[in-house]
Amino acid sequence: MDHPLAIQTRGLRKVYGDKVAVEDLTLDVPQGEVFGFLGPNGAGKTTAIKMLLGLVAPTAGQARLLGAPIGDPQTRAAIGFLPEHFRFHEWLTAVEFLDLHAALYGLDPAERRKRIPELLDLVGLSEAAHRRLRGFSKGMLQRIGLAQALLNRPRLVFLDEPTSGLDPLGRRLVRDIIRALRDQGTTVFLNSHLLSEVEITCDRVAFIKAGRVVHLAALDTLVEGLTAVDVRVGGITPDLVAGLARFAKPGSLRADGDRIHLVVDDEEVLPAISQWVLSQGARLYALAPQRPSLEDLFLQVIGSDVRE
Amino acid sequence: MLESDLREDTLAPPPPAASLIGEKHEAAPALIGQGVGGVGPILIITRLTFHEARRRRILVLGFVLGLAFLALFSIGVYFIQRDILRSGGIADERLIREVYGFLSMAGLYVVNFLIIMMAALISVDTLSGEIASGTIQTIVTKPLRRWQVVLGKWLGFLAMLSLYLVLMAGGVILAVRILGGYTTPNIMSGLALMVLEGALVLTLSILGGTRLSTLANGVLVFGLYGLAFVGGWVEQIGAAMHNETVIDIGIVSSLIMPSEALWRLASYQMQSPLTRDLGMSPFAALSLPSPAMVIYALIYTAVMLGLAMLLFQRRDL
């Protein structure tokens, strides 16, 4: 019954008309992992999640969740889902809404009575328990949606942009919940374009671009062997920047006033950078190596032309 | 506080992930069984459908309008009755009966129209609306099958329609009974035919909602209703002119959309024997649809409902 892989996909593909939404999705996500699914808007992230949840039928390929083929209703009892732009029956109160979804999960009334206040408390909505969802702010809706996804104590949770619409406090809450889920062995599939979010919470990330996984790595090994450099220069010229780009990993260079940020292969390049700057007659104020961020990597993998 | 909540209450017991689903299945096998393939999810959706109609005030509006109509109708019957009495009574008892028979048919004709409107309006956006807004996504990813959602909604709307019909038609029938002492014949079979008519319109509207936008679906349902309505009249005129071709055109339209044929059968059941023989009136049938039309309409409704389930099952959401 049990399966070491929470998610397993092979060549999953979705074509709408002549538009390819997901080219080829091949992934293994072991149980208990917090998996980040990263990519620019329109890269096929949501379509991929919808295929995994059986909302959209794949054009080709196969996938299994918790060892069972996708779309298997039994398995759904162990899966939680928070859709992107979460919308629902806004004429329900928070409690009615959770009760409906708990009933659909097959929880009996006694368990629902116990579980619902717990979850309202968890997402900080106890005060709003008997208010209609119509009057909820975007952030509150996101919270109640998250509570809905956890009603059944899922073994696998899909969160599609869970922090959209949340203030910093709400984002912190989502992070804490994801950590708690990981601590008790729940697999989390996190769809996000917020890199800092993923950087903090995920064990492993996949970069998806134009419907294809272009990079897949554990987060702590992801940036190994790379160095980010902050350069501050007086008397900057286009030629100088163009010259610096030769040292940088493709797409990683960003210039902002007198500050230039780039990612290089290793620290041995730093003296050469300083030489180049000085040879151009510019004044070098700072040349600081640092650990590259996920954003550096993202820009490098996805390409600098894509903005958040 | 938050951290301890998470650990100790909300997400506890911290399971070996492997055992969680197993435990669940052992703890509540019946529920899970119900959850997939059983009636559990269907009834939850049915309840939700009722709840939604109530919260969105659709039912309230329908009933308020219906009651306004019943009040007007009763007042009308009351004044007619008073005139009959004041004029010293029309000598012929039979003629008075015919007047009330005609009145009750006029009332039921309006009820028939209200039922069709209600059937289409309450259900026209139930699937297309939830698909467009995305609310359907968290429903169909629960441990249930999509056809259960369709069936649950259908049952909920059918129950509402039946209730509405009983109240409205019952009001008309009671008004002429109490005020005029006239008893409408064959009430049960007549109302059953009207329920079937409402169910048919409802089913088409749900079927359309699986693939069409709300607006397109509304156009489809009312378009078909209009076709059946005109087709019914074409058939009547054809019968009056004894023109077989014209009658056939009417019959074909009834086969495409049997709603009007069902109303003509229902009105035939509930009108007075004399009106029946007289023929031509808005509520009477010169060319009476064959009783086989009832069987046809039942099969038609079942097939459309099955098709709705299938199309909804197969579409991308």
Side-chain angles (χ1 to χ4, degrees):
Chain A
M1 170 81 218
D2 196 43
H3 200 271
L5 289 179
I7 302 170
Q8 182 181 32
T9 76
R10 292 291 173 266
L12 217 50
R13 179 179 170 82
K14 182 65 186 180
V15 181
Y16 292 106
D18 54 1
K19 185 181 166 287
V20 180
V22 173
E23 178 79 44
D24 167 11
L25 187 70
T26 299
L27 272 182
D28 285 334
V29 179
Q31 293 231 15
E33 189 169 78
V34 177
F35 188 83
F37 204 50
L38 272 173
N41 294 329
K45 294 189 308 258
T46 292
T47 306
I49 276 201
K50 283 183 167 182
M51 279 196 282
L52 291 176
L53 284 160
L55 286 168
V56 161
T59 311
Q62 286 144 22
R64 300 177 87 80
L65 298 186
L66 303 169
I70 45 174
D72 173 47
Q74 291 276 7
T75 312
R76 290 203 191 119
I79 292 175
F81 173 41
L82 171 67
E84 190 186 13
H85 309 308
F86 187 44
R87 291 278 307 276
F88 26 50
H89 307 101
E90 53 183 22
W91 35 270
L92 292 172
T93 66
V95 166
E96 289 169 342
F97 169 74
L98 290 181
D99 192 63
L100 164 70
H101 285 271
L104 287 172
Y105 269 126
L107 304 187
D108 62 54
E111 201 175 347
R112 300 203 303 256
R113 272 194 297 280
K114 186 170 158 293
R115 188 81 180 129
I116 290 167
E118 285 174 0
L119 280 166
L120 283 171
D121 188 42
L122 173 69
V123 298
L125 287 175
S126 298
E127 306 268 299
H130 297 287
R131 276 169 52 190
R132 298 266 176 93
L133 299 184
R134 180 176 296 127
F136 274 31
S137 70
K138 206 174 168 227
M140 289 166 83
L141 290 176
Q142 202 69 16
R143 286 164 189 248
I144 197 79
L146 192 61
Q148 171 273 144
L150 302 177
L151 278 164
N152 57 334
R153 302 175 199 276
R155 290 168 61 203
L156 168 61
V157 185
F158 289 89
L159 304 175
D160 198 350
E161 303 283 359
T163 52
S164 78
L166 290 182
D167 55 18
L169 214 63
R171 286 208 289 276
R172 171 75 190 275
L173 176 79
V174 170
R175 277 208 302 273
D176 289 344
I177 289 174
I178 292 174
R179 282 208 186 104
L181 286 168
R182 173 168 55 192
D183 287 348
Q184 48 105 54
T186 306
T187 312
V188 179
F189 190 96
L190 177 66
N191 225 355
S192 183
H193 68 284
L194 287 179
L195 301 166
S196 54
E197 208 60 56
V198 171
E199 195 162 21
I200 294 168
T201 48
C202 292
D203 299 319
R204 230 158 39 109
V205 294
F207 289 96
I208 182 168
K209 181 183 180 182
R212 192 187 280 278
V213 174
V214 286
H215 197 86
L216 179 74
L219 208 58
D220 41 13
T221 65
L222 200 60
V223 293
E224 248 171 35
L226 294 173
T227 303
V229 190
D230 266 332
V231 191
R232 193 151 77 82
V233 182
I236 212 161
T237 63
D239 278 351
L240 180 87
V241 176
L244 279 176
R246 283 186 290 123
F247 301 102
K249 302 281 285 180
S252 74
L253 186 136
R254 277 169 287 156
D256 179 20
D258 63 347
R259 285 164 200 279
I260 296 161
H261 181 89
L262 66 160
V263 179
V264 297
D265 275 325
D266 63 73
E267 289 193 344
E268 299 309 310
V269 189
L270 297 187
I273 292 178
S274 106
Q275 244 171 14
W276 166 256
V277 171
L278 296 175
S279 73
Q280 294 296 301
R283 302 180 300 281
L284 181 62
Y285 291 101
L287 181 65
Q290 46 190 232
R291 190 176 177 272
S293 67
L294 194 56
E295 186 174 0
D296 289 324
L297 199 81
F298 181 83
L299 288 173
Q300 189 201 317
V301 172
I302 302 295
S304 55
D305 54 335
V306 187
R307 285 197 209 128
E308 246 187 52
Chain B
M1 177 63 194
L2 182 70
E3 291 288 324
S4 73
D5 269 2
L6 279 174
R7 254 195 308 277
E8 284 164 29
D9 307 327
T10 322
L11 301 164
S19 74
L20 221 165
I21 197 169
E23 275 171 15
K24 266 185 127 121
H25 282 213
E26 279 156 27
L31 265 172
I32 297 292
Q34 256 183 21
V36 184
V39 294
I42 299 176
L43 293 183
I44 295 169
I45 299 293
T46 301
R47 237 182 21 232
L48 180 72
T49 307
F50 255 98
H51 199 146
E52 176 168 18
R54 210 184 68 208
R55 284 285 167 83
R56 291 171 77 185
R57 311 239 164 89
I58 300 169
L59 278 187
V60 176
L61 269 174
F63 278 109
V64 166
L65 283 175
L67 286 178
F69 157 70
L70 280 182
L72 271 175
F73 181 77
S74 304
I75 291 168
V77 173
Y78 169 78
F79 279 111
I80 289 167
Q81 169 73 357
R82 204 183 59 172
D83 278 5
I84 290 174
L85 291 179
R86 191 178 287 165
S87 67
I90 300 169
D92 194 344
E93 274 287 319
R94 281 206 349 236
L95 187 58
I96 296 175
R97 273 231 317 276
E98 290 310 318
V99 168
Y100 284 117
F102 185 86
L103 270 176
S104 70
M105 287 322 295
L108 288 172
Y109 188 68
V110 173
V111 171
N112 174 61
F113 181 72
L114 284 175
I115 292 296
I116 285 166
M117 293 293 287
M118 278 293 266
L121 291 179
I122 57 177
S123 61
V124 71
D125 78 329
T126 188
L127 284 175
S128 53
E130 289 213 41
I131 293 167
S133 74
T135 57
I136 202 73
Q137 291 185 13
T138 42
I139 303 278
V140 300
T141 46
K142 295 292 187 290
L144 47 78
R145 295 190 188 277
R146 287 192 195 174
W147 64 261
Q148 294 176 313
V149 175
V150 176
L151 190 58
K153 282 175 180 284
W154 186 82
L155 285 173
F157 288 131
L158 186 62
M160 268 177 242
L161 270 185
S162 305
L163 186 69
Y164 190 64
L165 175 69
V166 166
L167 286 178
M168 291 302 129
V172 167
I173 291 165
L174 266 183
V176 288
R177 177 86 180 86
I178 293 170
L179 296 170
Y182 171 81
T183 308
T184 309
N186 304 318
I187 294 172
M188 279 316 178
S189 53
L191 292 193
L193 285 166
M194 289 175 78
V195 169
L196 179 56
E197 184 191 7
L200 198 147
V201 174
L202 165 71
T203 310
L204 276 177
S205 151
I206 286 183
L207 170 65
T210 63
R211 293 294 162 115
L212 300 174
S213 72
T214 301
L215 189 63
N217 190 23
V219 170
L220 173 79
V221 172
F222 282 105
L224 280 174
Y225 170 68
L227 173 83
F229 185 81
V230 172
W233 277 100
V234 167
E235 192 181 333
Q236 300 293 301
I237 294 164
M241 300 187 331
H242 304 289
N243 183 327
E244 285 298 325
T245 314
V246 175
I247 293 177
D248 287 345
I249 290 171
I251 290 173
V252 167
S253 75
S254 292
L255 290 176
I256 295 171
M257 174 72 170
S259 61
E260 187 68 12
L262 289 174
W263 159 248
R264 276 187 286 140
L265 280 168
S267 67
Y268 183 77
Q269 292 285 325
M270 292 189 283
Q271 68 202 349
S272 68
L274 188 69
T275 325
R276 245 183 236 181
D277 299 338
L278 222 63
M280 211 74 169
S281 86
F283 333 117
L286 202 59
S287 161
L288 188 69
S290 144
M293 190 51 94
V294 179
I295 309 290
Y296 177 77
L298 279 169
I299 295 170
Y300 183 99
T301 307
V303 168
M304 293 298 156
L305 184 60
L307 194 60
M309 291 178 186
L310 192 72
L311 288 181
F312 186 58
Q313 187 74 41
R314 291 206 177 151
R315 74 161 285 167
D316 286 345
L317 294 171

